[in-house]
């Protein structure tokens, strides 16, 4: 535990109007490791990720990156830090093609003109590197892709930018068996290459297969962040469903009342 | 079928021409089946209408009428091109017609009451358009009022502003020769040919350079025959048009000789080329499509959605100003009706009939031109056949509805996948 986290959140509060969704959440992710973020539907996982990505501002708390406190006021700030996120929903523009989506907001240009050829090459190389074989052409419109293919494009988009931290919000939810195995393998490979990976998943088998740490959210509070090897699946299930398991988890259960 | 992902391979074995054309044809058919009709209905409609009117009223095909058609359509085509930017976002600008009226009134007041030179007056009119667009855009994108409501309110307000500028309904006649020339004069025949030559040459240069560049890097390209056909097609169609327009069309040669490409044509073509370049070749243009496709995805990609939306309204109203200037030139005057009555309907009709989606994210500037030609042909042809304005409006309205219906149906197919 001597390594300092590359990404660290402290005391994050987030409300949507009168509803407080995140309560005093702390979260850390370490280089070379896969941190799994688990929790029931509505626990606040996606909200936390959107706060990290600069999509939502948070009401209170500290955002630290590589040991320094940083201000992330929008998606560009997060991208500039090297944080790449595959969102659970609404991540792609249907009316654009694969290349355009992968480079959206960060297009390669020559002068004022889009450098389509370079972008197409880079996109094709990235997809080939992920051994994507089912996509007919990188110039296909995203609206013509299947759910899994879109998911793959979203993942490729995150990989393309060589970020330091890659966060994947339920990346395998729409994928078939083979594709899921491939994504999990990729997740592990990214971490083994020294990247920081955060994986959100409801599938505990997958979580135990690839993660080094597990962070469990319960009703907007961080119940526990533990090493994967230190816990059993049933303990994690308890953390997810009741916020505590033995001496792990939230101090008092009524502390978790909404 | 993974060729596109393995650039090296295509470079070694370029697909044979026939295969290439087949593939392009297949892709196109797939896209049609998938509901992306683009401007196909407008082109078919244009051809059908021209054939019908030519049979019913041979005078429809006369050189004079052809030139008339172009100058008739130019004003609403300019407005329609602006509307495309707003429609691409899935928004609407109902005030574009009267915005063009306000800008035309500003032009007239500056020219006559203030005695400004034509270029200052034109600048004032266009700046007025930009200001109008800025106000509309801020109200829609920053305050968050639906564009329908904002521009409906503006529709009324601008009507009032035109009346105020023209001091309760008097009309101001335009005497400036340069402004009058825009919609009433023609290019010398030689200049028409020269411009066509430059246009086709430029288009060919861009296409060939792009193809060479992609070839060299081993990326897939459109088959050379197709590129050649595009360039040839443009040259032939342009050549026919310039040739026809360069014929004498004056009824009494003694008084005056009238021949050449109307000056509005290069004006529209230049706007079309610049606008298309911006939309298809720059990041700004791509971001307009992105915001129209999914605002949230665009926002997450770090695009300043508000700025994009505001600028689309600014572009729309600025092009409306150009439309107003053309209308003022054509009418030799500005009156309270300039930009009023059916101007907006025709412009929206032009954009939608041309194949711009009302749901945002799909459409090109050329759509506005093609749709504008359809509208102009209907107005012109039915006028020749002696139908009243009432019938013309009713028919144009129905065509707009049909176009919107085609748009809605094709969108359903596209969404269903
Ligand atoms: N934009 C929003 N406005 C209001 N409430 C929101 C918003 N986004 C999320 N919420 C609420 O915040 C809570 C947490 O949602 P979130 O999407 O973060 O859950 P999650 O842990 O990702 O769940 P899932 O596993 O279903 O994806 C939910 O109760 C949800 O209703
Ligand atoms: Mg979620």
């Amino acid at each position: 535990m001597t390594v300092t986290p590359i990404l660290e959140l402290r005391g994050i509060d987030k409300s949507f109007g009168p509803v407080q969704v995140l309560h005093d959440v702390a979260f850390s992710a370490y280089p070379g490791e896969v941190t799994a973020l688990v929790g029931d539907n509505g626990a606040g996982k996606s909200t936390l990720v959107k706060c990290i990505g600069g999509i939502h501002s948070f009401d209170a708390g500290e955002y630290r990156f590589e040991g320094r406190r940083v201000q992330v006021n929008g998606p560009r700030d997060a991208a500039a830090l090297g944080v790449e996120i595959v969102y659970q929903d609404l991540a792609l523009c249907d009316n654009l093609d694969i290349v355009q989506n992968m480079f959206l907001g960060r297009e390669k240009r020559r002068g004022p003109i889009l450098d389509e050829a370079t972008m197409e090459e880079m996109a094709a190389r990235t997809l080939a590197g992920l051994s994507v074989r089912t996509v007919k052409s990188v110039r296909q419109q995203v609206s013509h892709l299947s759910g899994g293919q879109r998911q793959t494009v979203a993942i490729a988009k995150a990989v393309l930018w060589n970020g330091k931290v890659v966060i994947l919000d339920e990346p395998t939810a729409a994928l078939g068996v083979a594709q899921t195995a491939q994504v999990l393998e990729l997740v592990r490979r990214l971490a083994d290459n020294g990247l920081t990976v955060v994986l959100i998943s409801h599938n505990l088998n997958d979580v135990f297969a690839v993660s080094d740490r597990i962070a469990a959210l319960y009703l907007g509070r961080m119940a526990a962040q533990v090493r994967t090897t230190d816990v059993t699946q049933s303990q994690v299930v308890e953390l997810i469903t009741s916020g505590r398991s033995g001496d792990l988890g939230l101090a008092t259960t009524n502390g978790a009342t909404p | 079928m993974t060729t596109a992902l393995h650039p090296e391979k295509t470079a070694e074995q370029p697909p044979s021409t026939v295969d290439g054309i087949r593939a392009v044809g297949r892709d196109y058919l797939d896209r049609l089946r998938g509901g992306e009709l683009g401007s196909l209905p407008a082109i078919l409609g244009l051809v059908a209408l021209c054939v019908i009117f030519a049979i019913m009223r041979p005078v429809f095909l006369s050189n004079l009428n052809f030139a008339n058609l172009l100058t008739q359509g130019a004003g609403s085509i300019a407005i329609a091109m602006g509307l495309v930017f707003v429609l691409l976002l899935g928004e609407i600008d109902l005030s574009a017609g009267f915005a063009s009226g306000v800008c035309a009134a500003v032009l007239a007041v500056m020219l006559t009451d203030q005695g400004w030179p034509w270029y200052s007056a034109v600048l004032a009119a266009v700046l007025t358009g930009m200001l109008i667009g800025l106000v509309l855009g801020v109200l829609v994108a920053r305050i968050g009022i639906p564009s329908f409501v904002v521009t409906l309110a503006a529709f009324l307000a601008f009507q009032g502003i035109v009346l105020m500028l023209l001091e309760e309904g008097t009309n101001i006649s335009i005497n400036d020769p340069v402004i009058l020339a825009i919609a009433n004069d023609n290019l010398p025949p030689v200049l028409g040919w020269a411009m066509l030559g430059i246009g086709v040459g430029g288009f060919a240069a861009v296409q060939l350079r792009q193809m060479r560049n992609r070839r060299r890097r081993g990326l897939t390209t459109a088959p050379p025959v197709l590129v050649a056909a595009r360039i040839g097609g443009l040259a032939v169609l342009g050549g026919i048009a310039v040739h026809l327009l360069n014929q004498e069309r004056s009824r009494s040669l003694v008084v005056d000789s009238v021949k050449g490409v109307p000056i509005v044509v290069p004006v529209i073509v230049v706007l079309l080329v610049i606008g298309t370049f911006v939309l298809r070749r720059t990041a700004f243009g791509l971001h307009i499509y992105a915001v129209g496709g999914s605002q949230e995805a665009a926002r997450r990609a770090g695009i300043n959605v508000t700025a994009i939306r505001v600028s689309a309204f600014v572009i729309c109203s600025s092009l409306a100003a150009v439309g107003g200037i053309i209308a003022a030139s054509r009418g030799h005057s500005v009156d309270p009706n300039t930009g009023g009555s059916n101007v907006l309907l025709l412009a929206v009709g032009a954009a939608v009939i041309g194949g711009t989606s009302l749901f945002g994210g799909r459409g090109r500037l050329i759509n506005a031109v093609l749709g504008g030609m359809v509208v102009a042909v209907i107005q012109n042809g039915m006028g020749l056949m002696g139908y009243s304005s009432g019938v013309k409006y009713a028919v144009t309205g129905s065509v707009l509805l049909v176009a919107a219906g085609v748009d809605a149906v094709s969108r359903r197919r596209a969404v269903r996948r």
Side-chain angles (χ1 to χ4, degrees):
Chain A
M1 292 288 241
T2 47
V3 236
T4 49
I6 182 169
L7 173 73
E8 189 181 8
L9 302 176
R10 292 181 189 164
I12 301 290
D13 285 343
K14 171 70 188 168
S15 305
F16 291 109
V19 189
Q20 189 164 358
V21 175
L22 296 178
H23 303 258
D24 191 25
V25 168
F27 178 76
S28 317
Y30 298 82
E33 292 190 355
V34 176
T35 305
L37 181 57
V38 297
D40 250 337
N41 291 128
K45 305 182 295 295
S46 296
T47 305
L48 182 63
V49 166
K50 284 175 188 165
C51 288
I52 295 173
I55 304 286
H56 292 326
S57 56
F58 39 84
D59 308 327
E62 226 175 287
Y63 191 134
R64 304 182 75 88
F65 197 82
E66 293 178 326
R68 281 173 298 113
R69 188 163 179 187
V70 292
Q71 287 293 329
V72 173
N73 295 319
R76 276 183 191 278
D77 292 346
L81 289 175
V83 177
E84 292 298 329
I85 302 183
V86 179
Y87 290 102
Q88 190 173 10
D89 58 351
L90 299 176
L92 301 174
C93 290
D94 259 358
N95 59 332
L96 302 185
D97 67 30
I98 294 177
V99 181
Q100 289 169 331
N101 265 295
M102 285 175 68
F103 283 85
L104 195 59
R106 292 181 271 184
E107 295 82 5
K108 298 271 175 235
R109 308 175 199 186
R110 296 162 98 186
I113 305 177
L114 293 173
D115 186 354
E116 302 279 356
T118 302
M119 290 193 280
E120 194 169 323
E121 274 175 2
M122 288 173 69
R125 217 179 303 134
T126 306
L127 283 167
L130 297 178
S131 33
V132 175
R133 302 243 166 265
T134 59
V135 177
K136 200 165 70 179
S137 152
V138 285
R139 283 297 174 188
Q140 245 183 325
Q141 259 194 21
V142 164
S143 64
H144 296 181
L145 300 180
S146 75
Q149 287 172 327
R150 287 153 165 267
Q151 195 61 264
T152 318
V153 170
I155 294 172
K157 177 179 181 174
V159 172
L160 172 74
W161 293 102
N162 288 320
K164 296 175 188 160
V165 178
V166 177
I167 303 177
L168 304 109
D169 193 349
E170 301 195 29
T172 57
L175 298 186
V177 181
Q179 292 273 320
T180 301
Q182 236 177 45
V183 169
L184 292 177
E185 196 187 304
L186 170 72
V187 161
R188 197 56 251 175
R189 197 163 70 224
L190 291 176
D192 291 344
N193 288 342
L195 267 65
T196 307
V197 184
V198 177
L199 175 72
I200 297 178
S201 176
H202 287 290
N203 185 325
L204 289 188
N205 289 327
D206 293 353
V207 166
F208 273 82
V210 295
S211 73
D212 302 290
R213 285 170 204 270
I214 297 176
L217 268 179
Y218 174 69
L219 295 180
R221 293 167 202 275
M222 189 56 76
Q225 193 161 3
V226 294
R227 290 206 146 269
T228 308
T229 45
D230 295 345
V231 288
T232 62
Q233 280 212 26
S234 53
Q235 279 179 300
V236 174
V237 170
E238 274 180 16
L239 284 172
I240 291 173
T241 51
S242 62
R244 47 182 298 115
S245 164
D247 52 353
L248 276 177
L250 296 163
T252 52
T253 31
N254 64 0
T257 43
Chain B
M1 292 306 271
T2 51
T3 36
L5 298 182
H6 299 281
E8 325 77 50
K9 282 191 193 133
T10 33
E12 281 157 22
Q13 356 161 304
S16 81
T17 312
V18 181
D19 283 353
I21 293 176
R22 276 221 193 98
V24 170
R26 230 185 0 250
D27 276 1
Y28 186 65
L29 281 181
D30 279 352
R31 283 216 304 276
L32 288 186
R33 277 198 216 102
E36 282 169 60
L37 298 177
S39 41
L40 185 67
I43 294 173
L44 294 180
L46 199 54
V47 171
L49 284 169
C50 286
V51 169
I52 293 171
F53 287 132
I55 293 172
M56 310 282 280
R57 286 288 181 279
V59 69
F60 176 82
L61 282 186
S62 70
N63 298 324
L64 176 63
N65 196 48
F66 182 40
N68 267 347
L69 233 156
L70 296 176
T71 45
Q72 257 173 14
S76 50
I77 286 177
I79 301 175
M81 286 201 279
L83 279 166
V84 168
F85 284 84
V86 169
L87 290 173
L88 277 176
L89 299 179
E91 307 282 357
I92 184 78
D93 183 356
L94 298 175
S95 68
F98 274 115
S100 82
V102 170
C103 297
V106 167
L107 176 88
V109 169
M110 291 309 167
L111 279 177
T112 49
D113 297 3
Q114 307 293 323
W116 286 17
W118 67 270
Y119 43 86
S120 310
V122 166
L123 190 67
V126 173
L127 285 178
T128 306
M130 293 174 79
L131 182 68
I132 288 174
L134 187 66
V135 172
L136 296 177
V138 166
L139 288 173
V140 172
R142 279 210 78 98
I143 315 286
I145 312 172
S147 59
F148 173 76
V149 176
V150 169
T151 60
L152 190 59
F155 173 87
L156 269 180
F158 293 165
Q159 204 166 348
I161 292 175
V162 174
L163 279 176
M164 288 190 274
L165 282 171
L166 299 178
E167 279 149 21
E168 297 307 320
T170 50
N171 72 343
I172 303 184
S173 48
I174 305 270
N175 299 312
D176 186 278
V178 178
I179 300 295
L180 286 180
I182 297 173
N184 300 297
D185 270 4
N186 307 296
L187 297 175
V190 184
L191 195 53
W193 284 116
M195 282 193 168
L196 178 68
I198 294 171
V200 174
F203 179 69
V206 169
Q207 293 274 314
L208 292 177
R209 236 195 76 186
Q210 195 177 344
M211 194 167 83
R212 242 203 0 246
N213 183 22
R214 292 182 61 92
R215 271 271 162 93
R216 194 159 35 84
R217 305 178 72 158
L219 298 167
T220 52
T221 60
V225 245
L226 190 76
V227 176
R230 272 190 215 142
I231 298 169
L234 182 69
V236 169
L237 286 179
I240 294 175
V242 172
H243 174 74
L244 288 177
L245 291 169
N246 278 348
Q247 305 296 308
E248 183 60 55
R249 54 179 182 269
S250 171
R251 293 216 178 89
S252 54
L253 264 179
V254 200
V255 184
D256 205 0
S257 162
V258 181
K259 56 181 172 186
V261 178
I263 290 174
V264 280
V265 173
V267 170
I268 293 292
V269 170
V270 166
L271 290 177
L272 173 68
V273 170
I274 295 175
T276 303
F277 171 81
V278 168
L279 276 180
R280 314 295 300 188
R281 292 272 173 266
T282 68
F284 171 75
L286 183 64
H287 293 174
I288 289 191
Y289 283 94
V291 172
S294 164
Q295 249 184 60
E296 187 54 27
R299 195 167 80 87
R300 290 182 191 180
I303 293 172
N304 186 340
V305 173
T306 309
I308 295 285
R309 294 174 78 203
V310 172
S311 48
F313 279 93
V314 170
I315 292 172
C316 179
S317 301
S318 307
L319 282 168
V322 175
I325 295 169
I326 294 174
S329 169
R330 197 176 136 74
H332 289 72
S333 71
V334 175
D335 61 50
N337 235 348
T338 305
S341 69
N342 57 344
V343 169
L344 175 81
L345 180 80
L346 294 186
V348 174
V352 175
I353 290 167
T356 306
S357 174
L358 287 166
F359 302 99
R362 278 168 227 274
R364 296 173 174 225
L365 272 197
I366 186 78
N367 295 157
V369 177
L370 290 170
M373 292 311 298
V374 171
V375 171
V377 165
I378 294 175
Q379 302 281 307
N380 175 293
M382 295 192 62
L384 290 178
M385 293 181 57
Y387 286 110
S388 66
S389 310
V391 179
K392 281 196 283 186
Y393 288 170
V395 169
T396 311
S398 315
V399 172
L400 171 56
L401 264 190
V402 170
V406 169
D407 177 30
V409 171
S410 59
R411 176 185 147 92
R412 269 224 313 271
R413 298 184 69 162
V415 169
R416 210 187 288 141
R417 278 206 292 280

